[in-house]
Amino acid sequence: ITLTRVLAYFSLFYALLKAVAIFGGHWFWPNFILGIVGAIVAYLLFRVIRTADYKWIYAVICIVLFSVIRFYEEQLMAYIYNLLS
């Protein structure tokens, strides 16, 4: 239960961080896409919290997803930028 809440707030914070990066003049599309991913995950996790449908698989998927995103974030940002520019 606590892990799901931590992940939900982390996802929300990550989406807000990407929004601040966009307004700070950084690349729009890579930050927008990664911010949308964070917002979707935050929405889904807050929905899980509201319905009290806690399952470990949700937490594991989110941990793996954000671990991969954070580990490869620089390469992913450059790839998305080059792909969409």
Side-chain angles (χ1 to χ4, degrees):
I1 296 171
T2 303
L3 180 62
T4 305
R5 287 185 180 164
V6 168
L7 289 169
Y9 283 111
F10 173 78
S11 302
L12 183 63
F13 175 74
Y14 186 77
L16 291 174
L17 187 67
K18 291 300 171 183
V20 169
I22 290 171
F23 290 116
H26 295 273
W27 293 336
F28 176 78
W29 285 111
N31 285 304
F32 180 75
I33 291 170
L34 292 177
I36 290 295
V37 170
I40 290 170
V41 170
Y43 170 76
L44 293 175
L45 288 176
F46 280 119
R47 188 170 172 188
V48 165
I49 292 169
R50 188 171 26 132
T51 60
D53 184 29
Y54 300 103
K55 291 190 173 72
W56 280 103
I57 191 70
Y58 300 145
V60 171
I61 289 172
C62 289
I63 289 170
V64 170
L65 175 69
F66 276 109
S67 295
V68 168
I69 287 175
R70 293 291 296 152
F71 189 77
Y72 293 108
E73 188 170 16
E74 289 182 25
Q75 294 92 343
L76 190 58
M77 296 271 288
Y79 176 75
I80 294 171
Y81 179 77
N82 290 330
L83 186 68
L84 297 177
S85 303

